[in-house]
Amino acid sequence: QVQLVESGGGSVRAGGSLSLSCTVSGTDINLDTMVWYRQPPGKGRELVASVTTGGVTKYEDSVQGRAFISRNNPKKSVLLQMSNLKPDDTAVYYCNAWRAAYSRVPYLPWGQGTQVTVSS
């Protein structure tokens, strides 16, 4: 059974930092692009960052310069480090995977996510 477990969220003040972690079980991620999405309150899920099998990273404009995504294939994990957090970063954060490098189609079952709350 494929399972994604996100952790590391919390409540922080604006300007603070958090490190989010995602562990995947039940499948291999070696050939997948790993991604982080987030869902702000009352809004739809949006892409945050991606990292390909070769380590190429991309970030959405909203987090550019404040986020760093990395992966550890043997541990089947992906990290998202965020700094200089803003209230607009408040959301539930989820990880997932794309089969093709830039398909932008998440295909794994969604985990429960991890809540990030940033106060001003």
Side-chain angles (χ1 to χ4, degrees):
Q1 181 178 356
V2 178
Q3 191 173 15
L4 280 67
V5 178
E6 300 91 350
S7 62
S11 296
V12 298
R13 289 186 177 273
S17 301
L18 281 175
S19 183
L20 309 182
S21 177
C22 169
T23 301
V24 181
S25 60
T27 187
D28 287 328
I29 63 169
N30 292 0
L31 300 181
D32 295 338
T33 288
M34 298 304 296
V35 295
W36 280 94
Y37 285 82
R38 67 186 181 186
Q39 185 165 15
K43 297 183 179 180
R45 199 168 287 166
E46 60 188 33
L47 179 64
V48 177
S50 63
V51 55
T52 68
T53 57
V56 177
T57 58
K58 286 192 174 184
Y59 303 93
E60 295 303 292
D61 289 345
S62 58
V63 301
Q64 183 71 46
R66 303 187 297 115
F68 178 74
I69 186 172
S70 61
R71 62 189 294 162
N72 185 322
N73 286 345
K75 293 186 177 180
K76 296 184 182 180
S77 65
V78 57
L79 297 179
L80 180 69
Q81 296 170 281
M82 294 192 66
S83 60
N84 191 20
L85 284 161
K86 304 175 180 180
D88 284 348
D89 295 319
T90 295
V92 180
Y93 285 70
Y94 303 87
C95 69
N96 213 297
W98 300 338
R99 287 193 182 279
Y102 300 111
S103 71
R104 302 180 75 91
V105 178
Y107 79 96
L108 296 176
W110 295 99
Q112 83 289 348
T114 187
Q115 176 71 49
V116 172
T117 302
V118 184
S119 59
S120 56

